[in-house]
């Protein structure tokens, strides 16, 4: 397989250096851009496999960059934001970003995010997400039959829990925001919906941990949303 090509969009030279040094040491190929205009140009002319995008760029709003790239490409976008830009982060995920890193982040965190994204890319290319059966650890979803199994035992889910689980499964590896999920499940995103979502998610997660083996299929991202993780 070809080495993964990463487009690093960051105007802070020291952070950019940290990222490119890390990428080089771990056998990734990379391109860099210091502003939004170059980022869009590089993304369109070189088709990177993954984009690391700083939300605070001098010339363009990061959200606009994501929207622009999304008009022609599904390339995974991992946004990089400062802690003070929490609402931007959620807006960026809603605009089609896949994941996020919050500054300051460690080299390990960066590499972990990239690994999750690469696994997601491999799964997308291998069509594991579009077939009629979904497999993840002991979890199996049969989309045609509308059934979910954990260690070959059928899970008793309410219709909403089942829809939630399917939505999370079809987006394994991707962080889904509260707004995104409630829009998909209820068709709108009112404050009550987010509160209901928490309740449904808590029950669903309890059912997924019935063996009490601590295996976590669904991660909580406080204040942001949830992510289905690929269990080894
Ligand atoms: Ca910046």
């Amino acid at each position: 397989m070809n080495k993964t090509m990463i487009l690093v969009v960051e105007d802070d030279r020291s952070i950019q250096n940290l990222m490119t040094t890390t990428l080089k040491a771990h056998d990734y190929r990379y391109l860099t851009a210091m502003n939004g205009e170059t980022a869009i140009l590089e993304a369109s002319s070189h088709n990177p496999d993954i984009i690391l995008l700083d939300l605070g760029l001098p010339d363009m709003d990061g959200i606009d960059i994501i929207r622009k790239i999304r008009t022609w490409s599904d390339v995974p976008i991992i946004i990089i934001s400062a802690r003070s830009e929490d609402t931007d982060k959620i807006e960026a995920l809603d605009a089609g970003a896949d994941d996020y890193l919050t500054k300051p982040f460690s080299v390990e965190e960066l590499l972990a995010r990239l690994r999750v994204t690469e696994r997601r890319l491999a799964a997308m290319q291998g069509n594991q997400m579009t077939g009629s059966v979904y497999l993840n650890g002991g979890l199996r979803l049969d989309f045609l039959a509308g059934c979910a199994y954990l260690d070959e035992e059928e899970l008793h889910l309410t219709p909403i829990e089942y829809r939630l689980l399917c939505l999370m499964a079809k987006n394994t590896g991707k962080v889904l925001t509260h707004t995104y999920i409630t829009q998909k499940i209820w068709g709108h995103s009112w404050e009550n919906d987010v509160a209901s979502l928490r309740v449904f998610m808590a029950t669903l997660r309890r059912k997924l941990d019935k063996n009490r083996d601590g295996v976590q299929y669904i991660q909580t991202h406080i204040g942001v949303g949830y992510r289905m993780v690929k269990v080894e």
Side-chain angles (χ1 to χ4, degrees):
M1 197 187 133
N2 280 335
K3 288 183 191 176
T4 308
M5 166 76 92
I6 318 253
L7 170 59
V8 178
V9 187
E10 171 61 77
D11 62 324
D12 183 323
R13 211 173 271 281
S14 59
I15 298 177
Q16 191 188 95
N17 282 340
L18 169 77
M19 291 198 278
T20 54
T21 311
T22 307
L23 294 177
K24 204 187 230 166
H26 291 83
D27 226 19
Y28 288 104
R29 291 185 299 154
Y30 62 86
L31 298 158
T32 57
M34 307 273 286
N35 56 55
E37 204 186 329
T38 319
I40 290 169
L41 194 69
E42 293 287 323
S44 63
S45 50
H46 292 103
N47 275 326
D49 300 304
I50 299 171
I51 299 178
L52 288 165
L53 174 68
D54 172 30
L55 283 186
L57 292 170
D59 62 331
M60 276 177 82
D61 188 340
I63 314 290
D64 292 334
I65 300 175
I66 297 167
R67 290 208 179 104
K68 213 156 242 173
I69 292 174
R70 280 288 173 261
T71 60
W72 84 84
S73 170
D74 284 329
V75 56
I77 301 175
I78 303 173
I79 49 165
I80 299 164
S81 67
R83 226 162 266 286
S84 58
E85 298 165 333
D86 253 12
T87 45
D88 297 359
K89 176 168 81 189
I90 292 168
E91 211 186 320
L93 289 166
D94 281 333
D98 294 73
D99 205 344
Y100 62 91
L101 269 169
T102 307
K103 285 178 189 173
F105 54 85
S106 67
V107 164
E108 286 71 30
E109 278 179 279
L110 171 64
L111 292 170
R113 293 277 77 80
L114 289 174
R115 277 195 302 271
V116 167
T117 307
E118 283 181 293
R119 274 205 294 271
R120 181 171 149 71
L121 272 175
M124 272 155 59
Q125 281 153 5
N127 253 350
Q128 286 168 22
M129 303 289 187
T130 51
S132 62
V133 172
Y134 169 85
L135 287 171
N136 183 5
L139 179 64
R140 180 164 67 88
L141 298 181
D142 184 333
F143 296 123
L144 287 179
C147 296
Y149 303 85
L150 188 64
D151 301 328
E152 288 314 310
E153 211 176 294
E154 188 171 356
L155 283 170
H156 298 287
L157 304 175
T158 65
I160 286 187
E161 287 165 0
Y162 178 72
R163 283 171 61 202
L164 261 177
L165 184 59
C166 289
L167 179 66
M168 298 309 298
K170 284 176 177 164
N171 290 283
T172 299
K174 186 168 172 165
V175 176
L176 302 182
T177 62
H178 296 133
T179 311
Y180 181 87
I181 300 172
T182 50
Q183 286 280 0
K184 287 280 176 192
I185 303 290
W186 288 286
H188 39 70
S189 186
W190 299 328
E191 228 163 279
N192 280 348
D193 299 329
V194 177
S196 314
L197 174 63
R198 285 210 178 87
V199 177
F200 281 111
M201 209 49 114
T203 332
L204 177 59
R205 292 175 58 172
R206 231 174 2 252
K207 291 182 181 179
L208 288 176
D209 194 23
K210 74 174 165 70
N211 298 334
R212 310 224 178 272
D213 51 6
V215 174
Q216 279 227 358
Y217 289 95
I218 299 174
Q219 276 179 350
T220 303
H221 289 246
I222 294 163
V224 179
Y226 301 92
R227 182 212 315 262
M228 172 73 90
V229 289
K230 185 94 187 88
V231 172
E232 298 305 321

